[in-house]
Amino acid sequence: MFTTRPTLQGTFGMVSSTHWLASQSAMAVLEDGGNAYDAAVAAGFVLHVVEPHLCGPAGEVPIILAPAGGEVRVLCGQGTAPAGAGIGHYRSLGLDLVPGTGPLAAAVPGAFDAWMVLLRDHGTKSLADVLRYAIGYAEDGHAPVERVGATVESVRELFETEWTSSAEVYLPGGKSPAPGELLRNPALAATWRRLIAESSGGGRVAEIEAARKVWSEGFIADALVRQAARPTLDTSGERHTGTLTAADLAGWSASYEAPVAYDWNGWTLCKAGGWSQGPALLQQLALLPDELPEYGSAEYVHLLIEGCKLAMADREAWYGDAAEVPLGELLSEPYNARRRALVGEKASYELRPGSPGGRTPKLSTHATAVAAGEPGFDVKGITAAGAGEPTVARNGASPLPGEPDVTADGGTRGDTCHLDIVDRWGNMVAATPSGGWLQSNPVAPELGFPLGTRLQTAWLEPGLPNSLTPGRRPRTTLALRPEVRGGLDLQGAIDAPNWHSDSFPSSFYPRGMRPGSVTVESRMDPGVIAGLRLRGHDVNVGDAWSEGRLCAVARDPRTGVLSAAANPRGMQGYAVGR
């Protein structure tokens, strides 16, 4: 089969990420004797520089690591809601939803501490070793991808009139970043240089611990708290201050947890816990029948789409950190046999959560109204301000497009970043840095990066698994659907025509959905597209290479051969290795 690139193979090390500079920086760490975890931290900080419209140090990063010969673990880099972020406070401000931008949407930043914990516990390199690549690109500049400039241009008026600290970084001389020209962020480089200086002395682990303290209690914490206290125009159209305090920053740290594992077709798949939406991917696999239709056929794609809808309806009713998630029942065969029977010949336009263990599902009032198309919840009006984080490479075709599409009031549609690494010893890591986008909050002028907005994924309604709750994690949005590969290799699976569904409430402000909608790439067989429409799907045909930002690495346990592949969509993801 023809693929856009070869599936790379070797024995020394493999890296795949959503930007070539992050991939090559990680490979440089491997070449310098570092392991997969050293390389992941270096690449993560580079992504904060070169994909600032998709992730930042004050965002979040869930990490799954599989040490050679050890157990798979999840390192949770998702911060909690601050102590003052209660539903009552937001309601007292006249809000029905957490704003999509601004400090009211900021959780306790999680990405930086998670990278440090990973480096401390599993890496071998020093803090200066892993930060030098990001410092170089921030200080000396890098040629930005087109989407960085397009995102900045979308919020030019906001930056020039309200978020002026962001304009200083991303509108130098009044110009948006342009491909082929160098974009610098000297404030960010200075932040990391000061961090290293204030953390130096005492050995590798002591320096990392000191850096964590500087972040959570030192000059960085001080600047983040000041930024949260600045009245900021957000998607509500009003100026609000946030709830993040020094005590919130000092009281949180990244933590390890066991993954949720599911055995399917000879593979054991691992995801973060029910506080995230990760196990929804496992549910989609559990919903598949033993005998699948022909790979790539209309019947096959229909089956995957309908399973996605059922799993994501369960996400709405059952997943979150504010209540116990009945994962045992959700992944059990009896439960999924009942749910599987709901998949008919026609596309469903309903939001249909199940009743695991006989429990009664409860959806938010907003989600129910959006799904039903009730007056006041017009889908087109809602989605126009920005909705959701389906991981697509380009916007324009989908009713809920993917990469940041930012309105004048700062409303955003967000995408995310990813990296996968396997080293010559067999250590593997997968990380998804997200949040802290340049369009999420104003840049903290002393630091060169903004706060995140992950609280917007929580509901301002009590009694739900994903209700906004102080000290609890907002739900992440990091596992959307399975791709059953049909015998394809890594690159072939990534290259295969892709799709995404909008038939469940978006996690992002203003929380819209389009029942029955599915967006497919124009490379999909016309007969398959016609077959989906005959089955009742509201099919939107996007560009040929528009859906997805996939990365992959693999290790064959029999031979030790390492493999890697990367996404050609958007022309920036790359795999490297030897």
Side-chain angles (χ1 to χ4, degrees), residues 201-227:
R204 193 186 79 88
V205 172
E207 288 182 351
I208 294 168
E209 285 298 292
R212 296 178 69 206
K213 187 74 72 173
V214 170
W215 175 274
S216 62
E217 299 181 29
F219 81 92
I220 294 177
D222 293 342
L224 291 174
V225 171
R226 283 195 298 272
Q227 187 61 44

Side-chain angles (χ1 to χ4, degrees), residues 22 25 38-51 55-58 111-116 119 127 130-135 137-138 188 192 195 215 419 433 449:
S25 297
D38 298 311
V41 177
F45 280 98
V46 170
L47 286 174
H48 296 326
V49 177
V50 300
E51 294 197 285
C55 70
F112 177 86
D113 196 64
W115 292 129
M116 291 298 100
L119 183 65
L127 180 66
V130 296
L131 283 177
R132 66 188 182 95
Y133 305 93
I135 291 172
Y137 289 124
L188 179 59
W192 297 147
L195 175 82
W215 175 274
L419 61 89
F449 60 85

Side-chain angles (χ1 to χ4, degrees), residues 135-277:
I135 291 172
Y137 289 124
E139 195 167 61
D140 301 328
H142 71 282
V145 295
E146 183 179 355
R147 293 299 301 164
V148 174
T151 300
V152 173
E153 193 61 35
S154 297
V155 285
R156 170 184 288 275
E157 182 179 354
L158 177 69
F159 280 15
E160 290 178 336
T161 60
E162 295 280 346
W163 296 10
T164 54
S165 60
S166 297
E168 291 178 9
V169 176
Y170 291 107
L171 286 169
K175 294 175 58 180
S176 295
E181 298 181 3
L182 291 179
L183 172 64
R184 296 178 174 88
N185 190 340
L188 179 59
T191 295
W192 297 147
R193 288 197 181 280
R194 181 177 173 184
L195 175 82
I196 292 169
E198 293 192 10
S199 306
S200 63
R204 193 186 79 88
V205 172
E207 288 182 351
I208 294 168
E209 285 298 292
R212 296 178 69 206
K213 187 74 72 173
V214 170
W215 175 274
S216 62
E217 299 181 29
F219 81 92
I220 294 177
D222 293 342
L224 291 174
V225 171
R226 283 195 298 272
Q227 187 61 44
R230 292 185 174 107
T232 301
L233 182 67
D234 59 37
T235 52
S236 72
E238 304 291 335
R239 293 177 181 84
H240 293 114
T241 57
T243 62
L244 184 69
T245 67
D248 294 318
L249 282 161
W252 184 87
S253 63
S255 59
Y256 292 100
E257 59 187 49
V260 178
Y262 182 75
D263 293 329
W264 178 81
N265 202 28
W267 295 84
T268 298
L269 295 98
C270 297
K271 285 290 180 182
W275 61 268
S276 72
Q277 74 173 33

